[in-house]
């Protein structure tokens, strides 16, 4: 079973480390399809808990906590200036100002 984006790479590396070789890898473009296949017994997947909680299949799958080295991931947020109220709200939620890169990138765009 596949996951979206880098999650697939993380899952494959984790399986290799556990000496598990998948018979095949399926690719899907939505978490809904991924969760439905897992619920049907077609494999395993890795996705954010917040996404799983929003899906109908959440009660039909078994959840496992990932090891810290597999679970941690940095997500980069980029935007086109000028800033908007929606962007400001998103940045407040994710705490963009609290985790800036050492070279100063990641700051809010200047006001218009």
């Amino acid at each position: 079973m596949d996951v979206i984006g880098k999650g697939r790479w993380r899952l494959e590396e984790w399986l290799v480390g556990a000496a598990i070789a998948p018979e095949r890898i399926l690719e899907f473009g939505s978490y809904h399809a991924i969760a439905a296949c897992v619920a049907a017994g077609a494999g395993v997947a890795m996705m954010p808990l917040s996404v799983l909680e929003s899906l109908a299949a959440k009660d039909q799958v078994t959840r496992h906590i990932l090891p810290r080295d597999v679970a941690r991931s940095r997500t980069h947020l980029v935007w086109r200036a000028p800033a908007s109220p929606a962007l400001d709200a998103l940045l407040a939620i994710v705490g963009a100002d609290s985790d800036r890169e050492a070279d100063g990138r990641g700051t809010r765009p200047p006001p218009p």
Side-chain angles (χ1 to χ4, degrees):
M1 175 72 42
D2 189 22
V3 292
I4 297 174
K6 287 188 178 181
R8 175 178 172 173
W9 174 84
R10 288 177 179 275
L11 180 57
E12 289 177 359
E13 288 293 313
W14 187 32
L15 292 173
V16 166
I20 299 171
E23 289 182 30
R24 65 178 181 211
I25 297 174
L26 304 174
E27 296 187 26
F28 297 94
S30 77
Y31 282 124
H32 290 87
I34 293 169
C37 284
V38 170
V44 300
M46 187 168 64
M47 67 179 62
L49 179 58
S50 59
V51 172
L52 178 61
E53 291 290 335
S54 71
L55 301 176
K58 69 181 179 186
D59 296 325
Q60 301 167 353
V61 299
T62 302
R63 293 178 268 186
H64 300 277
I65 303 296
L66 295 173
R68 184 175 174 90
D69 61 325
V70 175
R72 292 199 43 95
S73 176
R74 179 176 294 255
T75 300
H76 297 275
L77 174 64
V78 296
W79 58 85
R80 183 175 178 178
S84 68
L87 174 62
D88 287 337
L90 177 62
L91 292 173
I93 291 169
V94 299
D97 284 348
S98 65
D99 191 27
R100 293 185 185 160
E101 296 286 329
D103 63 4
R105 291 181 295 190
T107 60
R108 291 176 186 249

